[in-house]
Amino acid sequence: MNSFNTIWANGRGNLATWLLWGLAAVFVVYTFASGGYLIAVLQFALIYTVLVTGLNIFMGFTGQVSFGHNAFAAIGGYSSAVLTATYGWEPLPAGLVGLAGALLCALVIGYPVLRLRGHYLAMATLAIGLIVYEVAVQWQSVTQGYMGISGIAPIGIGRFTITSDRGLLVFLMIAAALALLSAAGIRRSRLGRAFVAAAGSEDAARALGIDVARYKLIAFMISAAYAAIAGSLFAHAVGFVSPEVFGLPMVVMSFTMLYVGGIGTIAGPALGAIIISVLPESFRTFKDYQDLAYGAALIVILIYAPRGLASLPELWARWRRRSA
Amino acid sequence: MAQFRFTSGLLLAGAVALSGTSGARAQDAYKIGMSAGLTGYAATVDRAWRDGVEVAIAAVNAAGGVDGRKLELVVEDNRSEPQEAVTAYRKMLSSDKVQVFASGCVSAGNFAAAPLVVRAETPMVLCSILPQQPDHVKWAFTTIPQPRFEVETRLEYIQKKTQIKKIGVLHDPSPYANAQKAAAEKEAKDYGLEIVGVEQYKTDDADLSVQIQKMYAAGARALIKIGLGGTTLTAAKNIKQLDLDMIMLTSLEDIAVFRPVAEVLGDKFFFVASPSQVYDEIESSPLKTEIGKFLTPWRAKYKDRDPNWAGRGWDAVMLIAAAAGKAKSVEGPKVRDALESMDNFQGTTGIYHMSATNHQGITENPLLLATITGGQVKVVK
Amino acid sequence: MKSIATPTRILEIEGLSARYGHVEALRPVDLHVDEGELVAVLGPNGAGKSTLMNAIMGLVPTQGQVKFRGRAVPRRAPAAAAGLGIVLVPEGRGIFAPMTVAENLELGAYLLNDKHEYARRTARVLAMFPRLKERLAQTAGSLSGGEQQMLAVGRALMSEPKILLLDEPSLGLAPRIIDEILQKLGELNRQGLSIILVEQKAPLVLKLANRAYLLSVGSIAAEIDPRTIKSHDELVQYYLG
Ligand SMILES: Nc1ncnc2c1ncn2[C@@H]1O[C@H](COP(=O)(O)OP(=O)(O)OP(=O)(O)O)[C@@H](O)[C@H]1O
Ligand SMILES: [Mg+2]
């Protein structure tokens, strides 16, 4: 694990990087031009990019584990859904309430939980996810339980709403790009260095005067904020939320994306989100063998690029050095 | 290194596979799409629904199809998840050019996709309950009997055949179970009954004795159990262990699930049955004839597999075929309008009275109460 | 009435003890360091040397008192200790492998938020360890063991500590590199920096140290004046009690 962050730095200008981004660009342009259902696939991929970028700040940069970020996505998603669909709010203030709710929740939960390490932390975050799910099911007067909330207005400000699929796609691309850029900014800042230090060695970081517990909490809250935004985006993009939307499959999905894309890297979450969303679609024609083909592809990726797709440029550079 | 070439080859292959997504080719087929939870929590119900739909399509095609067109089914697994359902619906709309939907019981998936379906002006006949939004309901129809029927069948039995006056309601949190619970709360007094306890459980609960005992202590001597799966057996075992003087009446379910329950509770156990489940027990009627049409190919293919959910899938296809036949068109808006005019349509579950104001066609309670004695399913008269 | 003749205490430790569950790794110890002193802490494996360093920093739960220039150092608050100017280079160096050498150095001055001052300190550290200069953009994990130790020391110096605690800096290094690092430490000490140097290889440090404590099974077995230790045998004598 010696150099997950250099992947980004060293990869610039290398052929594999261009190829990866080229492929992604071709796919995006193709989808954009052809319309069709791949637009939906890509929209979900972009929403997941935001979620996974947040998770990456907590897990990749700061070296912690969370199985509970679906909870924050649910808080964001339900705040947007309830406030806009039931109370007629504008999407922006509704989303901000969700964001504030997620931050508060992350603060209240993170404060005691982040003193735990390893398995205990993982278990505690898993519990948060399950609790929020249960609240979404039981608090029927607000969430309508398993019925879910439908008729959520599309995203927009005032009279300007994004109703076309392509418009939404562009909006989500901007949102995902902002997520990635902000994560890159965080990583390069003092804050980001403190996160990575806490991931490296808590004791060494403490001995340098870094208040590790505090930075873990900050990382947790920042990543919760990304998750809440992803939840709100989902609510408006689909127009519907229900507890199942924010269930355990969301956790499994975001973990797969994070590891396949490359944990700890900047571009990894985007690569992972797009590949993991698109792969099952390219195997859809296999029908019953779709899951099998998908699983096999995942294993191949993780065997040959164990540090994720974002490490491909580095693998490429190594191969060139060796063959030179 | 070879690894890299391989991986990038994989990416390319993926991209190529994507660009090859096909448009509609067989112009003369009438394409029915289905988003179903073939995996995940809805798998049992939705696989039965799909198999019923397939049997019905084969029957319609054998009789020459609709308006000279063969029916063609496109099934996409939504893994019982709303997000997957949205992708599946969109794929079927834009790539497969599906013209009508006969989708499964994952209500959240159908609700999430409803705006798309409405925008595409494609009617859907569902296994699940109807969406909430009025503009979504316009394009959605369901084969599901009203939730209150399942409750009324049981309340009526308690009123007429027992001395019991106090009852308890035990239900899971699914929308359909909640709707039944609400119906029970509303109507119990019409049957001279008092609900002394309403308790909820989760579908994976391994013990229900706390809830049951609480209601028993409050005086409940009949337990209305609402919800699918293994919890019915759990509740039966709990009643037996606690040695309670209490009967249990459960909601519709695959009868295979009930056999072990009957072994535990014997004559204290009753369940709601759809007519197709007790085909051999019911008298000759147009209903029995329609069920017979379905059960012949069904039993030929699946032996004594439970026909309940499959029968509703059959009904969905027959409704669509009848509507398209009547409209002499497969265009979405026309089929939708024709579906709305399907009044007095005999299905395997009951008679559908679709109208502009009623997209849940079964308005008369077709359900029966049954028991299992000596391994034989018997209708309680 | 400041007297120049009598040395002032930079660190005064009284009855400091630490335990891991049932294991009492450090029995109550008393020790002190005067301003400008280089004090060695010697002892065999498991004697409690690392525990003592961690206890001073407040990285482990402790009882007893640590005073820095007469003021009590808060317990269980390593950030506060670092803020006072007590900095530890931990056993195994504790460098942040995924980060670049430059980022590691920046983290050393984490409490500082002044670009110019930061640049000045970096220049000073790089002057002391020129080898790091060529490797600023390289990840710390890709450095050699000796370079990593230099980075660990350099990183600690970035905060301009008043007293530097070093836990076995010679661990796993070639003799030539150890000499180089010890020579730098001597230099720093001559510039006025107080140092506590933990070592198992006593002969290496006794040349450098003003005083030495001998730690054995969690207690201070002896305080040694290096000048009185004439031969290696004599030290072995100490170890054996
Ligand atoms: N985290 C811990 N949990 C339990 N026991 C510990 C822990 N850390 C150290 N110990 C025990 O405390 C005692 C002192 O350990 P310490 O690491 O302080 O010794 P040391 O003198 O630094 O040894 P070395 O020369 O091997 O580094 C040992 O018996 C050790 O097993
Ligand atoms: Mg040690």
Side-chain angles (χ1 to χ4, degrees), chain B residues 157-207:
Chain B
Y157 173 82
I158 298 169
Q159 178 192 30
K160 295 210 173 127
K161 307 279 168 155
T162 71
Q163 305 302 315
I164 296 168
K165 294 290 169 222
K166 292 182 174 176
I167 62 173
V169 174
L170 183 63
H171 69 99
D172 74 26
S174 69
Y176 192 64
N178 266 309
Q180 287 190 46
K181 178 206 75 171
E185 287 176 324
K186 194 167 151 233
E187 297 180 24
K189 59 180 178 307
D190 301 342
Y191 293 84
L193 300 173
E194 184 193 347
I195 295 179
V196 293
V198 176
E199 297 288 332
Q200 189 173 311
Y201 66 90
K202 291 203 276 298
T203 43
D204 52 0
D205 278 352
D207 183 84

Side-chain angles (χ1 to χ4, degrees), chain B residues 5-81:
Chain B
R5 251 174 283 142
F6 183 77
T7 321
S8 61
L10 193 93
L11 289 173
L12 273 172
V16 170
L18 281 169
S19 53
T21 41
S22 58
R25 292 220 177 80
Q27 278 308 325
D28 35 357
Y30 185 24
K31 283 206 171 183
I32 303 180
M34 177 192 298
S35 152
L38 302 179
T39 50
Y41 74 84
T44 329
V45 177
D46 271 8
R47 280 171 183 265
W49 167 270
R50 176 199 58 189
D51 295 341
V53 165
E54 279 176 351
V55 165
I57 285 177
V60 171
N61 285 342
V66 175
D67 198 21
R69 297 163 195 258
K70 296 274 185 215
L71 303 187
E72 190 183 315
L73 182 66
V74 181
V75 182
E76 290 296 344
D77 181 8
N78 60 34
R79 298 162 202 277
S80 309
E81 286 170 36

Side-chain angles (χ1 to χ4, degrees), chain C residues 49-51 91 167-168 198:
Chain C
K49 307 181 296 294
S50 297
T51 306
E91 191 172 51
D167 192 351
E168 293 204 54
V198 168

Side-chain angles (χ1 to χ4, degrees), chain A residues 87-120:
Chain A
Y87 296 98
W89 285 34
E90 283 281 311
L92 187 62
L96 289 176
V97 169
L99 189 65
L103 283 172
L104 187 69
C105 184
L107 175 67
V108 170
I109 292 163
Y111 191 75
V113 161
L114 289 173
R115 287 153 192 267
L116 308 175
R117 282 197 198 198
H119 298 314
Y120 297 104

Side-chain angles (χ1 to χ4, degrees), chain B residues 361-379:
Chain B
I362 298 181
T363 50
E364 295 142 49
N365 188 351
L367 302 173
L368 304 149
L369 199 71
T371 54
I372 299 175
T373 45
Q376 286 295 314
V377 177
K378 289 265 179 282
V379 172

Side-chain angles (χ1 to χ4, degrees), chain A residues 2 6 187 190 193-194 197 204 215, chain C residues 94 96-97 103 106 110 112 139:
Chain A
N2 64 355
T6 40
R187 172 60 189 83
R190 268 166 65 80
R193 285 193 293 277
Y215 285 107
Chain C
F96 304 117
E103 286 181 310
E106 282 180 61
Y110 200 76
L112 177 75
T139 53

